[in-house]
Amino acid sequence: MTALIASGTILVIILATDLGRRKVTPVRMLRAVVAVAVVIVLFVHSFPTSGNDLSLQTIGVGVGVICGLVAAVFLPAFRERNGDVYTVGGVPYALVWIVLAGGRVAFAYGAEHWFPEGLIRFSVRYELSGQDVYANTFVFMALATVLTRTAVLMVKARRLRAAGTGDSAPAETGQPFGGGVR
């Protein structure tokens, strides 16, 4: 249930703030980061450091960064003639986030119902302390995904605004920056 609530919360906030044509604002960028911070406060109850716990949690952060970069590819940005920067989040972008949230929920469900014995053996073999290290890994992964997506979006917006001070046909004509278009 914890994984469902945490993943659902992040998914709803990201999709609500990014799907469709949306103006890039500081409040928009901060909203998703605050949501993940609240999830951390609510769901990270300890910070296991024994055995390979730190390694697994670090891997979660690394995977989150990669997922954030993938998500950012599917969120192209463009600058209007008036200088405002917008993004356009479509189905591919939504699918990235849905797959990530669904994967976290499926793992949590599977850990209790499909493969609990296998997970226990894996934890013992690789010296992982238990439930909290897995929960933290997924929460840190979500945080890294959101922070990376936010950082990439901020860079895109900054570049587009800077391009607007000179001659930049793509920015002035509303051509997207990112998303494999450029």
Side-chain angles (χ1 to χ4, degrees):
M1 189 54 124
T2 299
L4 183 62
I5 294 169
S7 293
T9 301
I10 293 167
L11 178 64
V12 167
I13 289 171
I14 289 294
L15 295 183
T17 60
D18 287 350
L19 284 185
R21 182 178 183 271
R22 304 285 181 164
K23 186 175 179 179
V24 177
T25 65
V27 171
R28 176 178 165 206
M29 298 297 93
L30 191 59
R31 189 178 305 134
V33 175
V34 168
V36 174
V38 168
V39 167
I40 287 174
V41 169
L42 293 175
F43 297 110
V44 174
H45 304 293
S46 68
F47 188 68
T49 59
S50 64
N52 288 312
D53 292 350
L54 285 176
S55 296
L56 185 64
Q57 293 169 104
T58 302
I59 289 168
V61 171
V63 170
V65 168
I66 292 167
C67 292
L69 292 170
V70 169
V73 166
F74 294 107
L75 190 64
F78 64 93
R79 185 177 55 79
E80 291 284 330
R81 291 186 188 276
N82 66 5
D84 291 340
V85 176
Y86 289 85
T87 60
V88 180
V91 172
Y93 181 77
L95 287 175
V96 169
W97 288 97
I98 291 167
V99 166
L100 291 173
R104 286 190 294 268
V105 171
F107 180 86
Y109 183 84
E112 289 184 27
H113 302 287
W114 299 330
F115 48 84
E117 295 86 14
L119 189 58
I120 290 168
R121 284 192 303 275
F122 179 86
S123 297
V124 170
R125 173 184 249 166
Y126 293 101
E127 300 177 26
L128 300 168
S129 62
Q131 262 183 298
D132 284 349
V133 73
Y134 291 104
N136 288 2
T137 297
F138 283 113
V139 170
F140 297 155
M141 182 181 124
L143 174 63
T145 303
V146 170
L147 290 177
T148 301
R149 170 280 224 166
T150 302
V152 170
L153 190 50
M154 288 171 49
V155 168
K156 286 180 181 180
R158 184 174 295 128
R159 286 182 179 170
L160 285 167
R161 287 183 183 113
T165 59
D167 288 335
S168 176
E172 291 181 352
T173 59
Q175 294 296 318
F177 177 82
V181 176
R182 196 166 192 222

